[in-house]
Amino acid sequence: MWRWLHPYAKGEATYRLLGHWLPWLAISAALSLLVGIVWGLAFAPPDYQQGDSYRIIYIHVPAAIFSMGAYTGMAITALIALVWQIRTAEWAIAAIAPVGAVLTAVSLFTGAVWGKPMWGTWWEWDARLTSQLILLFLYLGVLALYYAFDDKRTGAKAAGILALVGVVNVPIIHYSVYWWNTLHQGATITKFEKPSMATSMLIPLLICLLGFALFTAAMICWRLRHEILRQELHRPWVQQELIGQEKLN
Amino acid sequence: MAFSSFQEFIVMGGYGFFVWLAFGGTFLGLGLLVLRSVVARRHLEKACADHMRRQERLARRQKQERSR
């Protein structure tokens, strides 16, 4: 049943597959981000309470959701790497972590800039904000561990264990607004009910969500391709890929 | 269109500073990520070329030593 997956344990096969996906992901990410952000900034109606400041939602919420989504994905690849010892899965940890870290930083930054006019403070040590800050530190820790060892596999293993242990933080972030009395508001769309948002505001948000998802996927593909090249730099197929056939002979 | 003029669009009902700071910061962050990947490819090409040149030099020296 899983036999079709086996060739992708080899770096070159995965590299080629990602190469097929990358242009489509990149183009659709750029298009949906452009449409979603322009729609959200210029065409969506202002909020009756927050005026035009609420427009930060169009980047804040997607960045926050996919900072957690990327972490969950990284934890799953870490599990695969640790259990089945598949090297491409190890490399995926290093490909996902920087993308997730940037998304987390963006969510924290846009949150602070949104918090200042609405809450009167850039930062508050409330449960949602603090747990999201811990997510950033987890990403940075995973990255630091990955590159901290002379033996690359040891580094990948250490990073994988931290990524797995740290996944406990993801549900904590999500439920923090229910479990504790936070300054941060509750969920608007990630719940099992009708979203508490007008359709005219919701549609551009959904497009932005799609755009961030595609952007995240594209960046991970791109970075994983580079990580595969880096790890197999001394193999003939990589030399052919990087330098080109004509210069080799 | 939620705004009647470009001026109004920039002012964002008085929240212009915060809205544009948030969007600017986001584009800076995502842009740096993209830029790093562009540069990474160039670094890889250089590392690969360096490695191949080293291998070639090594092979040449070994050949010389054998012929001596």
Side-chain angles (χ1 to χ4, degrees):
Chain A
M1 183 182 163
W2 295 102
R3 274 191 96 118
W4 59 272
L5 249 176
H6 292 175
Y8 298 109
K10 249 177 78 183
E12 189 180 357
T14 309
Y15 180 86
R16 304 257 174 256
L17 181 72
L18 296 174
H20 288 305
W21 292 349
L22 187 54
W24 300 107
L25 285 173
I27 291 167
S28 49
L31 277 180
S32 44
L33 278 178
L34 187 74
V35 170
I37 286 173
V38 169
W39 192 336
L41 271 177
F43 293 94
D47 185 67
Y48 80 105
Q49 269 186 329
Q50 301 198 5
D52 287 312
S53 76
Y54 96 96
R55 294 179 196 280
I56 294 172
I57 201 175
Y58 293 111
I59 41 177
H60 176 72
V61 166
I65 286 180
F66 292 109
S67 69
M68 290 151 73
Y71 197 96
T72 311
M74 185 173 75
I76 292 170
T77 52
L79 183 73
I80 293 170
L82 289 172
V83 174
W84 289 287
Q85 308 278 319
I86 294 169
R87 301 204 61 193
T88 26
E90 288 177 3
W91 304 338
I93 297 171
I96 297 172
V99 182
V102 168
L103 288 173
T104 312
V106 162
S107 77
L108 286 167
F109 178 73
T110 52
V113 174
W114 196 0
K116 185 61 188 167
M118 287 302 115
W119 300 340
T121 177
W122 299 98
W123 184 261
E124 187 60 49
W125 292 102
D126 96 336
R128 173 55 77 79
L129 278 61
T130 308
S131 52
Q132 183 72 359
L133 184 65
I134 290 171
L135 187 75
L136 179 65
F137 293 152
L138 280 170
Y139 273 127
L140 297 180
V142 166
L143 271 177
L145 274 179
Y146 189 90
Y147 292 109
F149 295 86
D150 288 330
D151 178 38
K152 287 173 187 163
R153 296 214 74 172
T154 315
K157 235 169 250 169
I161 291 168
L162 178 62
L164 259 186
V165 173
V167 82
V168 69
N169 191 36
V170 172
I172 292 179
I173 296 172
H174 183 77
Y175 290 108
S176 59
V177 286
Y178 303 112
W179 292 343
W180 293 283
N181 232 330
T182 55
L183 195 53
H184 196 285
Q185 66 178 79
T188 306
I189 49 175
T190 50
K191 54 183 187 182
F192 298 109
E193 290 160 45
K194 204 168 162 290
S196 41
M197 197 177 182
T199 318
S200 54
M201 296 173 173
L202 183 63
I203 293 171
L205 181 57
L206 293 179
I207 298 173
C208 283
L209 278 167
L210 178 72
F212 268 79
L214 291 166
F215 175 83
T216 309
M219 285 313 298
I220 291 169
C221 284
W222 199 3
R223 297 198 67 98
L224 182 53
R225 264 163 73 87
H226 286 160
E227 183 64 15
I228 292 171
L229 290 180
R230 200 175 73 87
Q231 295 279 351
E232 305 204 326
L233 199 63
H234 299 167
R235 299 223 175 148
W237 77 268
V238 174
Q239 295 172 353
Q240 223 177 73
E241 177 70 31
L242 283 173
I243 312 292
Q245 184 67 49
E246 59 291 354
K247 281 189 208 159
L248 267 179
N249 301 322
Chain B
M1 198 73 174
F3 304 94
S4 53
S5 70
F6 186 70
Q7 180 66 29
E8 236 179 76
F9 176 63
I10 297 298
V11 171
M12 281 278 159
Y15 295 115
F17 171 71
F18 299 105
V19 172
W20 296 117
L21 183 61
F23 276 82
T26 302
F27 287 131
L28 187 73
L30 302 188
L32 282 176
L33 197 62
V34 171
L35 198 71
R36 248 204 75 96
S37 293
V38 174
V39 175
R41 173 88 187 191
R42 233 168 281 157
H43 279 302
L44 282 169
E45 279 167 14
K46 196 180 168 298
C48 186
D50 287 350
H51 171 76
M52 285 170 69
R53 231 171 287 135
R54 213 175 309 125
Q55 292 296 100
E56 245 169 59
R57 221 179 306 136
L58 217 74
R60 225 179 301 134
R61 198 169 306 154
Q62 276 172 346
K63 215 194 228 169
Q64 276 174 0
E65 256 159 48
R66 235 175 285 135
S67 62
R68 215 179 279 162

